[in-house]
Amino acid sequence: MATAIVLILLGLLGPVAAAQWRAGRWLRPAAWIGTKLSPQFLAGVPMFGVLLIAIGVSFVWPPGIILVFLAAGGLLWALFAATERRVPEAPPRERRGTPEAPPARPPAPRRPNERREAG
């Protein structure tokens, strides 16, 4: 029973940390996790907390093992979703229907005997 309580309390840190990060607090640990471990790990912290909570619940309530599998699937989804690009790519110029700009001309070479006018 004590193990279940410890797991549930540790698991609560994941969603609490995500709420704190969104509120602009606890940003130094978030930056450390993002740079030292990975941005995917940072995105998975809340779901990892939910997974720990589910494991703790499964110690107390045996049918809770179903919650463990659902939380594990959610953790994998969070990790893989974090690797996708969040910004949609711009369509190629041919599909947009706008003509391409003409290439810029290089400046004309100057002759050595040409003087610059002061002005």
Side-chain angles (χ1 to χ4, degrees):
M1 183 70 166
T3 306
I5 292 172
V6 169
L7 283 173
I8 290 171
L9 290 176
L10 282 175
L12 285 174
L13 281 176
V16 167
Q20 292 293 321
W21 294 335
R22 286 187 184 99
R25 294 180 291 255
W26 296 5
L27 295 178
R28 185 178 268 171
W32 186 87
I33 291 170
T35 57
K36 299 292 182 189
L37 299 175
S38 73
Q40 291 83 11
F41 189 86
L42 185 64
V45 164
M47 273 312 295
F48 186 69
V50 171
L51 178 62
L52 283 178
I53 293 170
I55 291 171
V57 167
S58 72
F59 281 146
V60 178
W61 184 52
I65 194 71
I66 295 169
L67 296 175
V68 173
F69 286 111
L70 291 174
L75 175 63
L76 290 175
W77 176 80
L79 291 175
F80 289 126
T83 60
E84 293 179 4
R85 294 187 68 179
R86 299 277 182 199
V87 179
E89 291 185 27
R93 285 192 172 270
E94 298 83 41
R95 292 187 196 161
R96 276 193 278 173
T98 58
E100 289 191 29
R105 290 188 208 174
R110 291 185 172 201
R111 286 186 252 159
N113 60 359
E114 219 178 76
R115 280 201 251 169
R116 293 186 191 177
E117 292 185 38

